[in-house]
Amino acid sequence: MDAVGRLKEKGVKVVFVLGGPGSGKGTQCANIVRVFGFTHLSAGDLLRAEIKSGSENGTMIQNMIKEGKIVPSEVTIKLLEKAMLENGNDKFLIDGFPRNEENRAAFEEVTKIEPEFVLFFDCPEEEMERRLLGRNQGRDDDNIETIRKRFKVFLESSLPVVDYYNLKGKVRKVDAAKPIDDVFESVKVIFSNFSKKGA
């Protein structure tokens, strides 16, 4: 049985986590994992791990990133599928993916899975900028020009994905400008309701 069949058989439930850079996705994902028992998969982390592994696939990904190209959807989706199959859990938060409409369509096409819902961290640009500049975690991409470019990419590419799922009634929007604990209170309500529905 191929990966698709196995994921279906496993009854995998997926929640996409979207939000601009600095909207607090990582922090809240860690909370959701702790309280609701989901497994957190970050598309970026999986790609970085694949590059580190030194595999042929990893070398190809590294070269594409070096050349400023977008890694093909199929490559990222295969890594996500593999991670979901190798994990004993059946509830996954997928963070930072789909980045655009093409990613979204390819994910549903390849995995035959639609997300249960999309958790969207809505945060004003000024607030995200303030957080990113303040966090100084040694990420060399946290300077003002790069940050603004990342916002632009997010707005142009990822918001259409949010709009698409919004039309299907699948977006759960959270005001991410609030303090971390307040944001998690909102997140808890969403996930508690979801759990009640027999997830």
Side-chain angles (χ1 to χ4, degrees), residues 23-78:
S23 59
K25 294 195 309 284
T27 306
Q28 297 301 337
C29 282
N31 286 336
I32 297 164
V33 166
R34 196 182 70 244
V35 177
F36 294 99
F38 275 70
T39 294
H40 176 211
L41 296 177
S42 152
D45 288 353
L46 288 172
L47 288 168
R48 283 188 283 274
E50 189 68 18
I51 290 169
K52 263 204 179 125
S53 75
S55 69
E56 250 177 76
N57 201 19
T59 308
M60 183 266 293
I61 293 166
Q62 189 169 22
N63 291 336
M64 293 200 75
I65 292 171
K66 262 196 198 130
E67 290 163 25
K69 291 181 183 157
I70 299 267
V71 177
S73 299
E74 276 69 25
V75 173
T76 310
I77 292 164
K78 288 275 180 290

Side-chain angles (χ1 to χ4, degrees), residues 38-137:
F38 275 70
T39 294
H40 176 211
L41 296 177
S42 152
D45 288 353
L46 288 172
L47 288 168
R48 283 188 283 274
E50 189 68 18
I51 290 169
K52 263 204 179 125
S53 75
S55 69
E56 250 177 76
N57 201 19
T59 308
M60 183 266 293
I61 293 166
Q62 189 169 22
N63 291 336
M64 293 200 75
I65 292 171
K66 262 196 198 130
E67 290 163 25
K69 291 181 183 157
I70 299 267
V71 177
S73 299
E74 276 69 25
V75 173
T76 310
I77 292 164
K78 288 275 180 290
L79 291 175
L80 287 166
E81 273 187 329
K82 185 167 168 264
M84 288 193 277
L85 283 170
E86 286 173 357
N87 189 292
N89 205 346
D90 60 358
K91 300 187 296 192
F92 295 93
L93 298 172
I94 295 184
D95 167 13
F97 187 92
R99 278 180 183 272
N100 53 38
E101 262 296 289
E102 192 263 331
N103 276 177
R104 179 201 65 70
F107 183 86
E108 291 189 9
E109 177 64 30
V110 172
T111 63
K112 306 289 183 252
I113 294 172
E114 263 200 41
E116 301 299 311
F117 60 90
V118 174
L119 185 62
F120 175 48
F121 289 105
D122 193 19
C123 195
E125 202 167 306
E126 307 75 63
E127 175 61 21
M128 293 194 279
E129 201 170 280
R130 197 180 61 72
R131 290 177 184 178
L132 289 172
L133 289 170
R135 74 181 183 188
N136 285 335
Q137 288 176 337

